[in-house]
Structure formats: C-alpha cells, structure tokens
Amino acid sequence: MPVTIALTGVITLGLGPAVPVDARGQVEPSPTAESDVTGPQVGEEQLPAAPEGAAIPGTSAEVPTQQQVADYLAARVHELDEFWTRYFTKVLKLQEPSVSFALITPEKGKYRSDCGNIEIAHDTPNAYYCTADILNPDTGYIGAVYLPVTTMRKMWTGDIFGDQDKRIGDFAAAVLTAHEFGHHIVDELRIQLSNETKTIGPPTGKWKELVADCMAGIWVRSVYESGFLQPGDFEEAVAAMEDIGDEQTAAPDHHGTPQERQQALLTGYLGVPEKYAPGRPLSCIEAYWH
C-alpha cells in the first residue's frame, strides 16, 4: 500500500481500527505472534520475553536534529500504518480507512485545526488529532494527526509536553504518536460499524483519551513481539503516560489520572488476565469505550 510522505508537510496513509464493538466476548486473533516465556518486570507487572532470536537494534542517547526527529516520526507512521492496516483488512475484513498526518517543522509555519479553532506550530506543547480536519483536499481524507517536531524532539531529553521526566530516550515520542493514531482508530471503528439501523457513539470524557492510550499499548505490544522493543523503551512509554495524566478529576476536560493512563497502556499491552491475551484490542474496547 503506497504511503505518500512529505517530512515537513503532510503524510497521507491508510489506517485500520481495532475490532467491532459488538464483537465483545469473542476470541480474536492477534496481528502478531505471542510468546509465553517470562521476561523483565516493570513495576509490579511481569513482562513476557521477546521471541527467541529476535534482534534488538541499537540506539543513541544523543539528542537528534530536527530532520532526524522528522525521519524517526515518519518511520513510526509507516509502522503504525502497516500494523493497523493489516489488522483492519486481514482480521476484521473491513475497509481500509485513511487519515492525514502533519509533521510540523519551523519551515511549515502554523496549521489551523477546525477542532477548537486552534493553531498548531512546530513548538506547540502538545500533539493533536482532529476528526474533522482535511489536510489534503486531493485525497479528501477526513481526520488529521498533528505532531510538532520541535516539541517531540524535546522528548529525547525527557521533556514531555513541558513536564520533565527522569527517563530520556526516543520511545516517548513513539508511544504518543501511537496515542494520536488511537483516536483515529476509534473514529474509524465508530464510523465503519455504524449503519442505518445502528449508531455507535464515541467514547466521552476521559474515556476517549484512555481508549487511545490502550490502543497505543496494542501497538507497543506488536513492536515487542516483532523483536524491536529496545531495552528501556517500555519504561519510557509507561513514564510518558504518567507525565500526560492529570489530577484535575472535576475539570470538564479531564483526560485521566497518571495512574489511569498508565493502566490503560498496560491493558493494551498485557491484556486482561483469563479473558484477553496481550495485544487484543477487545480489551481496550471493553474497558474504555464508555
């Protein structure tokens, strides 16, 4: 499947969702192989080991250039696209959805989103998904993910949207990219599974963020099972979820506490004991589609 890339502009791609909302309780196949071997422990969670013989690529602790960050994010886009498209078309037997994707650099100026009528620049301290934006009129793809490259570059130093984390590395940028994709996955589930006799409503309140966190955990699991999760990556992902959580539980735009957001990621990654195996999107739908 072709993916058109412009590192300082828009990436248009096909993207697949998770599983049918009305398929709860069914056993669903995983898009990747599983391993039953015990692996490292993160907090109180015991992780399974990577498949035997899996290669773990090296990494660098150096802060990359803007172009290197753009390249890194573009690579993650390709991986997310391939993963969800395969699952959507091969497992669910549904149509391949599509979304536009903007890597915002200083040279590109600002993007204006119809969601909240906000402007997003290369250093805006957040990443966004808008269900209504059309970045490329030629494709007509509805829905857009925005990643400000300068903001994402700071994550290599542990700066997560302005909060300083004790962990440094590249994987926080990867998992937060996967989170924004998670929003689109939920959108496509809702749209494609609704019809003239059935309308599926979207998650509301904090649940729309938690279900996207959980979908990000599904993708992280696929990276792990493919043998490309580097030492420290999972810890970076869990720490990033803590950083973007908030304790303002009474606020109308509350996105979930740090603990809730970490747990959502873990639910996608580890599954639900005695019910859903690791990496099954049904676990996200049942736990967080409210």
Side-chain angles (χ1 to χ4, degrees), residues 109-129:
K110 297 180 179 180
Y111 284 75
R112 179 173 290 278
S113 172
D114 288 336
C115 291
N117 194 28
I118 59 173
E119 287 189 339
I120 310 168
H122 69 99
D123 56 355
T124 298
N126 211 336
Y128 295 91
Y129 169 76

